[in-house]
Amino acid sequence: MNTFNICANFGIETITAHEIKTGIINNTFVVTDKSGKKYILQEINSNVFKDVDGLMNNIELVTEYLKDQIARDGGDTQRETLTLIKNANNDRPYYKVRDDNGKEHYFRMYDYIANASTYDEASEKYLFEAGKGFGKFQRQLDGFDASGLIESIPDFHNTRKRLETFISSLDKAYKEKDAEYIADAYPCIKYALKHADIANVIMDALQTGRIPTRVVHNDTKLNNVMLDNDTNKALCVIDLDTIMPGSMLFDYGDAIRSGANAGLEDDVNLKNVYLDKNKFEAYTRGFVSEMAPIMTDSEAKMLAQSPIVLTYELGLRFLTDYLDGNKYFKCDLTRPKHNLERAKAQFTLTQDLIKNYSYMNKFASEIFNEYKLDSSKQK
């Protein structure tokens, strides 16, 4: 589709556009208008996000609420949260167009946040700031009514449902795939089934009310927090597609999974994949320093369990996609078993997290008690 024509439907006369290739779900471009002002243009993956109206309503509600909170605290509302651009008709925060084959495509635009960067791999200092960024983001949304949001991806972090889907895909694969395809995945399949109890940990606590339902980001990779280039401080949380009701533990656990892994998410050398304790401690301290005033004792007691759950869950998702024929995640075309390699890395990390559970639990408990006491003194 013609990027320049799409931008015109947001009332923007574009002179340059270049694609950002880091995402694995949406297609993203940085565009510049004739005045030199920059914007972010994204094509929303409607195969993943079936209810685009609901998705965009989530983002609009949350960013407007955040702007009120930021303004109340004397912050910069144009830099500390995303700003959506309405389409040229000013009737919705996205533009829909059909291609020559009749397929609908959905686009949205944000103001570009200048003088800020994201990092895929970072030092402990950046992880600390990312922790503060996600913790502050969730704390600012503490008063937001989560019931006003749709599930943009139903059961996104419902690990129990992810396990059920995996088992269904496994049954189908046994019937439809050749024996070699299944045999290659057998060690991962065996691990997933052996550790199936992990799938119940957070979901049981949520459904019984032992932990509260909050507004959560649900995709807390380090590169979803922008840091100010001048101060290196956390500035803005981005990629709000998976803003939904859920548990704080989803956000913390997924951040440890992605940020404190010594290896890569799809590392083929599994000796590289283990918990980096320094990075774990840096992120935990940053996140808890912001969240301690509103975190419940029950949530705090489960902090160390959550990375195990979220890592196991992503391993299930990669393995399921492999069994389904690689339909969800973008894969490297030079790596025909890319999703299986991802699953192996995630289950390797899961096992190392289990091994380090006592250490993680002790550290998280100490940090929570430290910041909880500080916040009590400030009151």
Side-chain angles (χ1 to χ4, degrees), residues 318-362:
F318 285 140
L319 182 55
T320 300
D321 200 29
Y322 173 78
L323 295 173
D324 288 344
N326 307 309
K327 298 176 181 178
Y328 183 86
F329 294 102
K330 288 182 181 178
C331 291
D332 184 338
L333 296 179
T334 67
R335 297 169 67 176
K337 297 179 182 177
H338 196 179
N339 270 325
L340 182 57
E341 291 164 352
R342 288 163 162 162
K344 288 178 181 178
Q346 294 307 300
F347 289 147
T348 298
L349 181 59
T350 302
Q351 194 58 37
D352 195 62
L353 292 169
I354 292 171
K355 184 179 79 172
N356 282 285
Y357 170 74
S358 294
Y359 150 73
M360 292 192 297
N361 190 47
K362 182 176 184 293

Side-chain angles (χ1 to χ4, degrees), residues 24-83:
I24 62 173
I25 301 296
N26 300 312
N27 296 318
T28 304
F29 304 84
V30 176
V31 300
T32 308
D33 71 10
K34 62 181 181 180
S35 72
K37 182 174 172 59
K38 291 183 177 180
Y39 302 86
I40 296 293
L41 173 70
Q42 284 188 317
E43 181 176 4
I44 303 166
N45 188 334
S46 57
N47 292 322
V48 174
F49 303 107
K50 306 294 185 183
D51 182 357
V52 174
D53 272 318
L55 166 73
M56 295 308 298
N57 186 59
N58 280 4
I59 296 174
E60 193 168 30
L61 288 173
V62 165
T63 53
E64 289 304 312
Y65 185 89
L66 285 172
K67 284 183 186 295
D68 288 342
Q69 300 301 301
I70 293 164
R72 180 201 65 186
D73 295 339
D76 186 340
T77 59
Q78 298 304 303
R79 300 191 76 229
E80 293 179 32
T81 190
L82 296 175
T83 299

Side-chain angles (χ1 to χ4, degrees), residues 60 86 91-93 96 117 121 209 224 230 254 279 301 308 327-328:
E60 193 168 30
K86 291 283 186 74
D91 62 351
R92 60 184 66 177
K96 179 173 69 174
S117 303
E121 297 181 40
N224 280 335
D230 293 329
D254 201 36
K279 290 184 175 181
K301 288 176 182 177
I308 297 170
K327 298 176 181 178
Y328 183 86

Side-chain angles (χ1 to χ4, degrees), residues 10 52 105 186 188 232 246-247 254 256 280 305 318 343 349 368:
F10 286 93
V52 174
H105 296 260
Y186 183 72
C188 283
N232 287 327
S247 170
D254 201 36
I256 296 300
F280 164 78
Q305 290 175 289
F318 285 140
L349 181 59
F368 172 70

